[in-house]
Amino acid sequence: MAVATVAALLAALGGALWLAARRFLGPSVQRLHGSEHSSLMHGKTVLITGANSGLGRATAAELLRLGARVIMGCRDLERAEEAAGQLRRELRQAGGPEPGPSSGGAGELVVKHLDLASLRSVRAFCQEMLQEEPRLDVLINNAGIFQCPYMKTEDGFEMQFGVNHLGHFLLTNLLLGLLKSSAPSRIVVVSSKLYKYGDINFEDLNSEQSYNKSFCYSRSKLANILFTRELARRLEGTNVTVNVLHPGIVRTNLGRHIHIPLLVKPLFNLVSWAFFKTPLEGAQTSIYLASSPEVEGVSGKYFGDCKEEELLPKAMDESVARKLWDISEVMVGILK
């Protein structure tokens, strides 16, 4: 037992040293530099769900740097305002665009309340968006909950399926009109490689017969992909594109519901530092799909590390995608 522990520690330490050397010798994040990119998103309004921490915050920071006007849709307004203040300071220190009457919205950061575990909150948020926002160029469905204990949303849905899929399903549908009137526009959906371990069980979408937190997370991420592909089909000819991505394994607070024994935490922290992506590294594909001219007109695809990747057959099943769409419409109240 002691030998195995020492071996694991040495392996983790070796990995950490390897990563440190890799980062020292060359940056792992390919950011867009130069004046030609500083206004890449100038005049564009971007909505990011869950933008106060982790991937969402990193995505917001980079799109602000590229000149976008960013709306943060967050459940915890206090934490969101704190994050927004930090982002504004970072932008000023980096010499980014200064928001003002002549900036066209560049570098402007707006915080709005959005609780994806409440369909009432989603509807109120979208109503406010439609009343106050003349355009929406990019919607990034980023927020998520990961392997939580069994609990239900305000509307009685299993939490992971309710937040990760249904909340974003309703949000996207209610904002489609604004996205279409702002075309060319983009929708970016954050999924996970863990979709591979999920299945869509139409007999128990609410996990009332059985609940496995890992499986239910994977199912919600598979639902994200099926939703993206079906939405891409429905949006053909509208000049609104939608793509889905996996960010890889990233060091964020998404795993706050995962219990790690106290004695193992130092080893886990070392391994995560060595092998997990930083939020900025993990956000690169979201940023790429939101802003890059290279994916203009591309829709219905699955990306990782800013490259298109293949999907398992179950994530490309058109009949399952259409059935999931139809049932989701009923669950969120779009159809009675």
Side-chain angles (χ1 to χ4, degrees):
M1 183 71 175
V3 173
T5 302
V6 171
L9 283 168
L10 289 173
L13 181 59
L17 291 172
W18 168 81
L19 188 68
R22 182 177 72 118
R23 288 184 174 172
F24 178 76
L25 293 172
S28 55
V29 178
Q30 299 298 317
R31 300 171 70 176
L32 297 171
H33 293 284
S35 57
E36 71 275 17
H37 294 302
S38 62
S39 59
L40 183 63
M41 295 295 287
H42 185 88
K44 296 185 182 296
T45 295
V46 180
L47 166 60
I48 308 173
T49 66
N52 60 285
S53 65
L55 288 176
R57 186 191 186 284
T59 303
E62 286 297 286
L63 292 177
L64 281 169
R65 191 177 64 84
L66 295 175
R69 175 176 179 269
V70 175
I71 300 171
M72 302 168 63
C74 302
R75 179 179 58 84
D76 189 325
L77 277 179
E78 184 177 349
R79 289 181 59 203
E81 291 289 359
E82 181 180 350
Q86 294 171 349
L87 286 169
R88 292 185 186 106
R89 287 191 293 274
E90 290 171 9
L91 188 65
R92 285 195 298 271
Q93 291 168 1
E98 285 289 338
S102 62
S103 68
E108 182 182 354
L109 196 56
V110 179
V111 175
K112 292 182 182 289
H113 179 257
L114 171 62
D115 183 357
L116 289 159
S118 164
L119 298 183
R120 175 175 50 83
S121 174
V122 174
R123 291 182 184 278
F125 173 87
C126 291
Q127 184 177 9
E128 183 179 342
M129 283 284 297
L130 296 176
Q131 289 174 346
E132 297 181 359
E133 300 296 331
R135 64 181 302 110
L136 179 60
D137 300 278
V138 182
L139 167 62
I140 303 179
N141 290 340
N142 166 83
I145 189 166
F146 178 72
Q147 296 192 12
C148 62
Y150 187 77
M151 57 182 78
K152 292 185 176 182
T153 68
E154 178 181 287
D155 305 279
F157 305 126
E158 185 274 314
M159 185 63 72
Q160 295 186 88
F161 190 74
V163 169
N164 299 351
H165 171 61
L166 291 175
H168 282 119
F169 179 88
L170 178 60
L171 175 78
T172 305
N173 272 280
L174 293 180
L175 294 178
L176 273 182
L178 185 57
L179 285 158
K180 289 177 180 178
S181 67
S182 307
S185 53
R186 304 180 183 189
I187 302 167
V188 178
V189 179
V190 179
S191 182
S192 167
K193 277 186 174 182
L194 294 176
Y195 86 86
K196 297 174 182 179
Y197 306 103
D199 286 298
I200 305 297
N201 178 7
F202 288 109
E203 302 304 314
D204 191 26
L205 283 178
N206 217 28
S207 301
E208 293 175 334
Q209 296 173 18
S210 65
Y211 180 71
N212 178 291
K213 62 184 182 180
S214 300
F215 168 79
C216 286
Y217 177 76
S218 296
R219 177 167 63 186
S220 73
K221 295 290 103 179
L222 174 60
N224 289 157
I225 298 172
L226 292 167
F227 162 69
T228 298
R229 292 178 56 81
E230 176 62 13
L231 180 57
R233 185 185 70 80
R234 292 170 180 252
L235 288 176
E236 288 177 1
T238 65
N239 218 7
V240 180
T241 61
V242 55
N243 291 290
V244 62
L245 67 102
H246 74 80
I249 305 175
V250 186
R251 295 195 302 275
T252 71
N253 65 353
L254 191 65
R256 60 189 177 276
H257 294 292
I258 303 299
H259 174 69
I260 301 171
L262 189 61
L263 291 176
V264 181
K265 275 190 176 181
L267 177 60
F268 175 81
N269 291 337
L270 184 62
V271 170
S272 68
W273 184 87
F275 298 108
F276 292 9
K277 293 181 179 180
T278 66
L280 179 57
E281 290 170 334
Q284 290 307 300
T285 308
S286 293
I287 297 160
Y288 173 75
L289 292 175
S291 64
S292 176
E294 293 179 6
V295 288
E296 185 175 348
V298 176
S299 194
K301 304 301 182 182
Y302 174 67
F303 286 80
D305 292 326
C306 302
K307 298 185 295 291
E308 187 179 338
E309 295 187 1
E310 292 187 1
L311 286 164
L312 294 181
K314 66 180 175 182
M316 298 188 291
D317 191 319
E318 293 183 1
S319 63
V320 172
R322 292 182 187 187
K323 184 175 181 179
L324 178 63
W325 183 284
D326 292 341
I327 290 176
S328 298
E329 282 187 321
V330 175
M331 292 179 79
V332 302
I334 293 176
L335 292 180
K336 301 297 183 183

